[in-house]
Amino acid sequence: MFRFRTDATTIYAHYKVTKPLLGMPHMPATGVSGLDLYARDKDGKWRWVQVVRPGAQEMKLRLADGLDAGEREYAIYLPLYNGVEFLNVGVPEGKKFVGLKPRAKPVVFYGTSITHGACASRPGMVHTAILGRRFDVPVVNLGFSGNGRMDQAVGEFLTRIDAAAYVIDCLPNMNAAAVTEKCVPLVKQLRAARPDTPIILVEDRRNTDAWLKASLRKHHDDNHAALKAAYEQLVKEGVKGLSYVPGDHLYGDDSDGATDGSHASDLGFHRQADIFEPFLKAALGR
Amino acid sequence: MFRFRTDATTIYAHYKVTKPLLGMPHMPATGVSGLDLYARDKDGKWRWVQVVRPGAQEMKLRLADGLDAGEREYAIYLPLYNGVEFLNVGVPEGKKFVGLKPRAKPVVFYGTSITHGACASRPGMVHTAILGRRFDVPVVNLGFSGNGRMDQAVGEFLTRIDAAAYVIDCLPNMNAAAVTEKCVPLVKQLRAARPDTPIILVEDRRNTDAWLKASLRKHHDDNHAALKAAYEQLVKEGVKGLSYVPGDHLYGDDSDGATDGSHASDLGFHRQADIFEPFLKAALGR
């Protein structure tokens, strides 16, 4: 997320993404390769302004125009799945344009393709982004599509970030045996390096077709049980500052929270954010 | 929506869409060109099973497999923006496969690209589809992208359908002058042909960037005022069976209900369905 202040009523952007494939069959180019612009309203709340509809790998465009007069803070979310080779943001000559200093410590999310952002329709609609706006905190999104596996090497990297909280949300990429093997060591690794940073463990969401597939139900049941056992062991061993998010309702209860069964739509992300919110609130001491 | 009963645990589909462009920059191919499969659970509720991720104009695939044993009712929603040249659905040999008779009278929606389905991530996530499942009624979706304009010729077509209710949701494609000119005649045309069929008039949703754009706010204000005036005139003239859906909150209040400001995401469609629900409930006498 890139933040700035301006009094301009037109905002320009020029950027190039690293990969020519701009969208995916189950996720539009607005989410995969778009820039997503928000602004603070007069009450200080973040509200949506505009998203880029990418039509080429390099885009030079008016990101927003016809805005109400007034100086305010803006934020641009970067593309969720494509890389950014370069990004220039500008305003008309004579208008103010000021970059902004970092805010508080970030909330750090370590997870899978879901954390990564699949299948949000815009970069601002991942639950990590929604929560970042709700709490007005910076977010570090370490979602690794297919590879969120509670790895020690990633844990080592996590400990280098002075986080407001760590959210460990890897179970959709793991099975029960892997959870049993890796969860306790990862939490102990984080706790050894950061004695006071809250750590939130998250169960995997239920795939939205699991109601009709016994194999999926068993997979989720086993994963949940393994995470619960790891959590209870850690608590028993005296590890403090842990909390635990149940996964059953993360996408809601009507089977409509995902685009493809596994990956959240904007609806599913919004529901996830609602469920995460009280846990983060407690962790951040709000 | 195509309905059938089967006891198969694998369901196949073979279909071809009419246009080679499978997705749009702000709407994924799953929504534009996908088939979306639902089934009734043991309580009779519709729940999601699988969506096609289209990768070619002609798709021959296993739509679902590994399903729990048991005979149940399934429904396939057709692609939202692409046409269907042909569609074959099948099950393994020896399994039952029965088409189903039409249910009650349909709810008929006449509207714009939003009614048409932009930007749902799957065909089952348009508000018209969500409401069809909630009330378990057939739906006729007459959403005409860019061309939902309360036209007399469409009105003539609407009167030929013996509808459970008409929902007139054209304002996003109209301005106040057009609403003032065409709303009263359209309602009178429907009422003359169908004296008892409930008619629901819907204000346009607020674009999610309207909070920062005076021109958009004025557009919505004027449109709403014109529809309200038409509604009040009709009531005053004694037209019965009319109801009126305010548009301000159709996409929610956090500016996050649309993908591109105008067209709903799955979140916005879900919110729209929640607001439409009590009006349809009353219209259907439930």
Side-chain angles (χ1 to χ4, degrees):
Chain A
M1 189 162 107
F2 163 70
R3 289 157 53 247
F4 56 95
R5 281 190 77 84
T6 186
D7 58 355
T9 58
T10 304
I11 298 169
Y12 300 93
H14 178 196
Y15 74 115
K16 187 176 177 187
V17 289
T18 54
K19 286 172 297 234
L21 208 66
L22 301 176
M24 297 194 283
H26 58 324
M27 184 172 168
T30 41
V32 172
S33 306
L35 302 176
D36 208 7
L37 179 69
Y38 280 74
R40 281 194 202 272
D41 67 13
K42 59 182 175 2
D43 302 320
K45 275 185 70 174
W46 290 108
R47 295 173 75 87
W48 185 82
V49 183
Q50 197 49 261
V51 70
V52 172
R53 294 193 202 186
Q57 210 175 333
E58 184 171 343
M59 300 283 291
K60 202 169 181 173
L61 46 85
R62 226 172 302 193
L63 184 52
D65 64 359
L67 305 176
D68 293 342
E71 185 181 322
R72 61 184 72 85
E73 188 174 338
Y74 291 85
I76 295 178
Y77 290 97
L78 301 187
L80 289 175
Y81 264 76
N82 221 322
V84 174
E85 199 171 302
F86 65 80
L87 166 63
N88 299 309
V89 177
V91 295
E93 242 182 304
K95 289 296 181 182
K96 188 172 170 178
F97 185 89
V98 193
L100 296 170
K101 294 215 176 84
R103 292 168 293 169
K105 295 179 184 183
V107 175
V108 178
F109 291 83
Y110 172 29
T112 67
S113 51
I114 300 165
T115 308
H116 200 140
C119 298
S121 80
R122 300 186 273 103
M125 287 309 291
V126 191
H127 64 304
T128 62
I130 296 171
L131 291 163
R133 289 195 297 282
R134 288 189 188 169
F135 288 105
D136 207 10
V137 288
V139 162
V140 174
N141 181 328
L142 297 171
F144 301 101
S145 191
N147 292 287
R149 292 176 181 166
M150 298 192 180
D151 285 317
Q152 195 193 356
V154 179
E156 165 60 27
F157 181 75
L158 293 177
T159 62
R160 293 189 221 164
I161 307 174
D162 186 10
Y166 296 115
V167 181
I168 309 299
D169 189 6
C170 292
L171 262 61
N173 286 168
M174 300 176 76
N175 60 24
V179 173
T180 301
E181 179 194 336
K182 293 159 94 179
C183 181
V184 170
L186 176 68
V187 170
K188 289 185 175 172
Q189 180 186 16
L190 297 177
R191 188 48 78 237
R194 301 277 179 188
D196 302 318
T197 309
I199 300 171
I200 300 172
L201 299 175
V202 188
E203 285 183 355
D204 46 319
R205 86 286 171 241
R206 300 243 166 205
N207 282 51
T208 53
D209 54 343
W211 71 275
L212 197 50
K213 292 186 177 178
S215 62
L216 274 175
R217 291 194 297 276
K218 179 170 163 40
H219 170 74
H220 294 307
D221 289 345
D222 292 350
N223 248 1
H224 292 189
L227 189 70
K228 197 61 178 276
Y231 170 75
E232 283 168 357
Q233 180 187 332
L234 288 159
V235 169
K236 207 170 164 184
E237 292 183 18
V239 177
K240 301 284 180 211
L242 275 186
S243 58
Y244 189 93
V245 181
D248 284 351
H249 310 292
L250 285 170
Y251 283 177
D253 301 309
D254 56 8
S255 82
D256 271 337
T259 296
D260 63 355
S262 166
H263 300 100
S265 64
D266 287 7
L267 177 62
F269 278 123
H270 192 267
R271 289 170 167 176
Q272 282 212 126
D274 286 347
I275 290 186
F276 277 54
E277 187 173 318
F279 294 94
L280 259 186
K281 191 173 177 183
L284 298 175
R286 301 279 180 95
Chain B
M1 191 161 108
F2 162 71
R3 289 155 54 245
F4 57 94
R5 281 192 77 84
T6 185
D7 59 354
T9 57
T10 305
I11 297 169
Y12 300 93
H14 179 196
Y15 74 115
K16 187 177 177 185
V17 289
T18 53
K19 286 173 298 235
L21 207 66
L22 301 176
M24 297 197 282
H26 57 324
M27 184 172 168
T30 41
V32 172
S33 306
L35 302 176
D36 207 7
L37 178 70
Y38 281 74
R40 281 195 203 272
D41 67 14
K42 58 183 176 1
D43 303 320
K45 274 185 69 175
W46 290 107
R47 297 174 74 88
W48 185 82
V49 183
Q50 197 50 260
V51 70
V52 172
R53 295 193 200 185
Q57 210 173 332
E58 184 172 341
M59 301 281 292
K60 202 168 181 173
L61 46 84
R62 226 174 303 194
L63 185 52
D65 63 359
L67 305 176
D68 291 343
E71 185 182 323
R72 60 184 72 85
E73 189 174 338
Y74 291 85
I76 295 177
Y77 292 96
L78 300 187
L80 289 175
Y81 264 76
N82 222 322
V84 175
E85 200 172 301
F86 65 79
L87 166 64
N88 298 311
V89 176
V91 296
E93 242 181 305
K95 289 296 181 182
K96 188 172 171 177
F97 185 91
V98 193
L100 295 171
K101 294 215 177 85
R103 292 168 293 169
K105 294 179 185 184
V107 176
V108 178
F109 291 83
Y110 172 29
T112 67
S113 52
I114 300 164
T115 308
H116 199 137
C119 298
S121 81
R122 298 186 273 105
M125 286 310 290
V126 190
H127 63 304
T128 62
I130 296 171
L131 290 163
R133 290 195 297 282
R134 287 190 189 169
F135 288 105
D136 207 10
V137 288
V139 161
V140 175
N141 181 328
L142 297 172
F144 301 102
S145 192
N147 292 287
R149 292 176 181 165
M150 297 190 182
D151 286 317
Q152 196 191 356
V154 179
E156 167 60 26
F157 180 75
L158 292 177
T159 61
R160 293 189 221 163
I161 307 174
D162 186 10
Y166 296 115
V167 181
I168 309 299
D169 189 7
C170 292
L171 263 63
N173 285 168
M174 300 177 76
N175 61 24
V179 173
T180 301
E181 179 193 336
K182 294 160 92 177
C183 182
V184 170
L186 176 66
V187 171
K188 288 186 176 174
Q189 181 185 15
L190 297 177
R191 187 49 77 237
R194 299 280 178 186
D196 301 318
T197 310
I199 300 172
I200 300 172
L201 300 174
V202 188
E203 285 183 354
D204 45 320
R205 85 286 171 242
R206 301 246 166 202
N207 282 52
T208 53
D209 54 344
W211 71 275
L212 197 51
K213 292 187 176 176
S215 62
L216 274 176
R217 291 194 295 277
K218 180 171 161 38
H219 170 75
H220 295 306
D221 290 345
D222 292 351
N223 249 2
H224 292 190
L227 189 70
K228 197 61 179 274
Y231 170 76
E232 282 168 357
Q233 181 188 330
L234 288 159
V235 170
K236 208 171 162 185
E237 291 183 20
V239 178
K240 301 285 180 212
L242 276 186
S243 59
Y244 189 93
V245 181
D248 283 351
H249 309 292
L250 284 170
Y251 284 177
D253 300 309
D254 56 9
S255 82
D256 272 336
T259 296
D260 64 355
S262 168
H263 301 100
S265 64
D266 287 6
L267 176 62
F269 278 122
H270 194 266
R271 288 170 168 175
Q272 281 212 125
D274 286 346
I275 289 186
F276 276 54
E277 186 173 319
F279 294 93
L280 260 186
K281 192 173 176 181
L284 298 175
R286 300 279 181 96

